[in-house]
């Protein structure tokens, strides 16, 4: 498991999605398998997380290492809000 990854059991989307396991990480994000607690189906969750520029505390909160990255990170978050916010959710029968 990636040291920066969300822990299994973490709830997202006002408790709708429960992280089950971390699948992969790249320079701009991480992918997890989660349970959609409303539909009782597994989904893939992609989280915007800049490994080189961000840190996660013990409570799971993300902060930037340097203030100079704040504007660009905020723009990425705004872009993502049109598609579900900080995390994007995919549902597919093979997940």
């Amino acid at each position: 498991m990636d040291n920066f990854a969300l822990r299994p059991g973490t709830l997202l989307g006002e408790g709708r999605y429960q992280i089950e396991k971390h699948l992969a990480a790249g320079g701009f994000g991480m992918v997890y398998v989660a349970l959609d607690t409303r539909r009782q189906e597994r989904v893939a969750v992609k989280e915007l997380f800049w490994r080189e520029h961000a840190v996660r505390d013990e409570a799971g909160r993300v902060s930037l290492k340097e203030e100079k990255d704040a504007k660009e990170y905020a723009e990425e978050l705004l872009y993502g809000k049109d598609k579900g916010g900080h995390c994007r959710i995919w549902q597919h029968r093979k997940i």
Side-chain angles (χ1 to χ4, degrees):
M1 180 169 134
D2 190 298
N3 290 336
F4 298 106
L6 292 169
R7 293 184 177 138
T10 299
L11 296 173
L12 303 172
E14 298 177 355
R16 179 170 180 176
Y17 304 100
Q18 182 177 18
I19 298 296
E20 292 186 341
K21 75 177 185 175
H22 175 244
L23 288 179
F28 284 94
M30 294 193 230
V31 180
Y32 306 89
V33 172
L35 176 66
D36 180 334
T37 60
R38 289 186 194 160
R39 300 179 77 183
Q40 294 300 304
E41 294 178 348
R42 288 202 166 61
V43 297
V45 174
K46 182 169 184 183
E47 175 191 30
L48 173 64
F49 186 90
W50 290 356
R51 301 173 67 94
E52 299 298 319
H53 303 283
V55 293
R56 188 184 316 274
D57 67 17
E58 289 296 319
R61 293 181 297 257
V62 174
S63 61
L64 296 173
K65 293 177 184 176
E66 297 185 33
E67 189 62 32
K68 69 179 180 67
D69 297 321
K71 183 179 183 223
E72 189 176 356
Y73 194 75
E75 289 171 356
E76 289 293 326
L77 287 175
L78 286 174
Y79 169 76
K81 284 194 190 270
D82 294 337
K83 297 176 174 64
H86 183 71
C87 295
R88 296 188 181 138
I89 312 298
W90 286 276
Q91 291 180 298
H92 189 279
R93 62 184 171 79
K94 293 191 177 186
I95 295 176

